[in-house]
Amino acid sequence: VCGLRIQGLTLSTTRLDPPVIIARKRDGEELRPDEFRAFLAGYLDGQVAEEQMSAFLMAGLLRGFSREEAVVMTEAMITSGETVDLSDLRGPTIDKHSTGGVGDTCTLIVAPILAACGAQVAKLSGRGLGHTGGTLDKLESIPGCSVDLTAEEFHQQVSKIGIAVAAATQDIVPLDKRLYALRDVTGTVPSSALIASSVMSKKLAGGAEHIVLDVKTGNGALIVDPDQAFELAELCVAIAEAHGRKAAALVTDMSQPLSHAVGNAIEVAHAVEVLTGQRGGRFRDLCLEIAATGLALTGRGPDDAYGQALAALEGGRAAEVFSELVAAQGGNPEVMDRPWEVLPTAPVVADWAPGAGRVGAMDTRGLGELASGLGAGRKHKEDDIDPRVGFEMHVGIGDVLAVGQPAVRIHAANEYDRDWALGRLPDLIEISDEGQSPPPLVHARIGGARAR
Ligand code: URA
């Protein structure tokens, strides 16, 4: 390998030999930036085959990538496509991202709170896959609501109402799109460096100056181990700061579904109830923490940031912003007044009442798979979802149940699915005499000012 310097430009003459690169990663070596870039570029132009990239990703997942390698990957993903320019928007631009979980509808609350507090929220979101849900599927469950905006429509909507939530076009981070699809089918998702570069390339290409991250940990998260989640959060913040952006991350609990709803229309209905002041609990608490952490990045003092987020939620301004967002994207804003009538509902509803006892550990990933199995998620990217189905959780870890008290309400497309779900629940939620203490909501904070 050699680099040729001509008038300040370094032309890489790296000769690409994929089997050698794969073997070096297998043996735990760190790749030089130029050879790693050449390998990634080779994947895009066809010199590196899918099976070679699959083997490389598995080697990297098992042997680890260095921080420098994560930075190289992030940059390669950003430069593989277009970037969004938000510099002409008035007011601070903020983006928010979660690494994915079960019953995690935070975007539907956090984004309107941020916009209600004067931030410009240009949010490119994803769809659910596997056991985790996705914001786009949830928004599309509102009749008429579209998430397919052109780049111009997206930008215009943010200029006009301060918020847009849409699907990323094919032109943004195409390398991440290909790598993520490959990782999803090769067991190579849970690597800190691979997740950090995937998440941060999207956030950096999305153009916001301030980035708040919700990194999940626990048995429903992509990264189960809290130490590894902390490392991932630190890496994401470091990558953002290296690109001159202000970022903060919360490492938050995913050892039980976050909200009391898992599904698409059901999660929207619960989010509307939080926005309109009819529902509280840990989901609402976390939304306020995330929003306050994002606002604190824009220079507001931590107490002010929390106070403003709370006032936007309690005073109804966040609900108004959500209604404007839904209307601007073609959806029926009456969802705010009559969510359970406007949203599609499942034909079969049944309660699971497991008997007296205390709620112990939950198999959160299994609960996400249960919702997916009912039709709320997809096994393959091209599958359709059923927006009506999923379940409502009436309990959380540590709660006490009386005889006959329902713990979960199943929303199913038919009786067969209902019976299947009712049969699965006893294996997914432990009910015993001892129970368990509720886990903390926020495990750690990285970067930014502590809100409150
Ligand atoms: N979310 C992403 O965008 N990428 C990952 O790799 C994992 C979660």
Side-chain angles (χ1 to χ4, degrees):
V1 178
C2 66
L4 197 62
R5 255 192 114 60
I6 306 173
Q7 294 177 336
L9 188 75
T10 303
L11 296 180
S12 171
T13 54
T14 304
R15 175 137 13 107
L16 184 59
D17 193 344
V20 171
I21 299 277
I22 296 163
R24 289 187 42 211
K25 193 35 79 193
R26 177 200 63 206
D27 296 340
E29 282 183 41
E30 179 176 355
L31 301 179
R32 283 190 312 274
D34 62 333
E35 60 188 355
F36 196 10
R37 270 185 220 112
F39 186 73
L40 293 167
Y43 177 60
L44 277 177
D45 70 16
Q47 289 183 67
V48 175
E50 296 292 333
E51 60 273 21
Q52 290 175 316
M53 185 52 92
S54 308
F56 176 81
L57 292 170
M58 184 57 83
L61 178 132
L62 296 173
R63 302 305 302 250
F65 290 102
S66 69
R67 191 164 276 229
E68 176 73 5
E69 285 175 318
V71 170
V72 169
M73 258 188 297
T74 311
E75 269 153 19
M77 286 180 189
I78 297 171
T79 52
S80 71
E82 290 172 10
T83 55
V84 181
D85 183 2
L86 303 177
S87 57
D88 63 329
L89 297 176
R90 8 165 252 294
T93 49
I94 310 188
D95 202 350
K96 173 257 162 198
H97 195 88
S98 155
T99 54
V102 179
D104 176 7
T105 332
C106 289
T107 294
L108 301 191
I109 314 281
V110 174
I113 293 179
L114 294 172
C117 294
Q120 305 287 317
V121 186
K123 173 102 180 71
L124 296 172
S125 285
R127 295 194 180 275
L129 197 65
H131 77 284
T132 66
T135 302
L136 301 180
D137 295 324
K138 292 170 200 173
L139 275 178
E140 278 182 345
S141 70
I142 303 172
C145 193
S146 166
V147 293
D148 294 316
L149 308 187
T150 64
E152 203 185 325
E153 286 167 342
F154 181 69
H155 193 280
Q156 271 177 7
Q157 186 177 313
V158 183
S159 314
K160 202 165 151 210
I161 63 167
I163 185 168
V165 182
T169 66
Q170 287 305 318
D171 308 328
I172 294 175
V173 291
L175 176 58
D176 173 60
K177 286 204 174 69
R178 278 190 61 191
L179 284 178
Y180 193 83
L182 187 62
R183 287 167 55 212
D184 192 47
V185 293
T186 55
T188 51
V189 170
S191 143
S192 301
L194 293 176
I195 296 176
S197 56
S198 165
V199 166
M200 293 318 293
S201 61
K202 287 190 278 274
K203 297 297 98 182
L204 295 167
E209 300 155 82
H210 308 91
I211 301 166
V212 58
L213 301 159
D214 179 11
V215 176
K216 302 286 183 199
T217 184
N219 64 9
L222 295 179
I223 299 282
V224 175
D225 174 51
D227 290 340
Q228 218 192 327
F230 187 82
E231 185 195 311
L232 167 61
E234 267 196 317
L235 184 55
C236 289
V237 170
I239 292 173
E241 287 172 351
H243 281 83
R245 313 286 173 92
K246 293 202 173 104
L250 300 178
V251 178
T252 69
D253 186 67
M254 189 35 74
S255 58
Q256 60 181 324
L258 177 61
S259 80
H260 284 168
V262 182
N264 292 287
I266 306 172
E267 287 192 42
V268 173
H270 278 235
V272 165
E273 288 174 356
V274 171
L275 283 165
T276 52
Q278 298 165 70
R279 194 177 274 280
R282 34 188 274 124
F283 169 53
R284 176 184 185 272
D285 295 345
L286 184 62
C287 289
L288 283 166
E289 291 285 345
I290 297 171
T293 304
L295 290 171
L297 288 171
T298 68
R300 298 165 220 225
D303 290 335
D304 272 0
Y306 192 87
Q308 287 178 23
L310 188 64
L313 187 60
E314 287 186 339
R317 181 62 197 132
E320 279 167 32
V321 171
F322 184 74
S323 173
E324 286 165 24
L325 167 77
V326 168
Q329 295 187 198
N332 183 353
E334 286 179 28
V335 72
M336 301 306 292
D337 307 317
R338 300 177 287 112
W340 296 99
E341 287 166 51
V342 169
L343 291 161
T345 48
V348 179
V349 174
D351 285 331
W352 177 62
R358 285 192 66 198
V359 182
M362 297 191 193
D363 176 350
T364 315
R365 187 186 182 95
L367 286 167
E369 285 163 357
L370 184 81
S372 193
L374 283 167
R378 37 175 91 69
K379 291 188 181 56
H380 305 286
K381 269 194 180 307
E382 58 283 358
D383 291 349
D384 284 332
I385 58 143
D386 183 342
R388 306 168 302 172
V389 301
F391 54 87
E392 290 174 272
M393 304 267 311
H394 299 308
V395 291
I397 293 175
D399 286 352
V400 177
L401 275 168
V403 181
Q405 187 182 339
V408 176
R409 173 166 290 180
I410 301 285
H411 295 242
N414 53 53
E415 278 147 19
Y416 175 83
D417 285 358
R418 172 200 64 195
D419 293 344
W420 168 76
L422 289 172
R424 287 286 297 126
L425 282 169
D427 293 335
L428 301 175
I429 302 178
E430 196 179 273
I431 311 286
S432 68
D433 292 341
E434 287 95 49
Q436 197 171 304
S437 314
L441 195 51
V442 177
H443 293 270
R445 296 164 194 272
I446 293 103
R450 190 192 159 93
R452 279 192 306 170

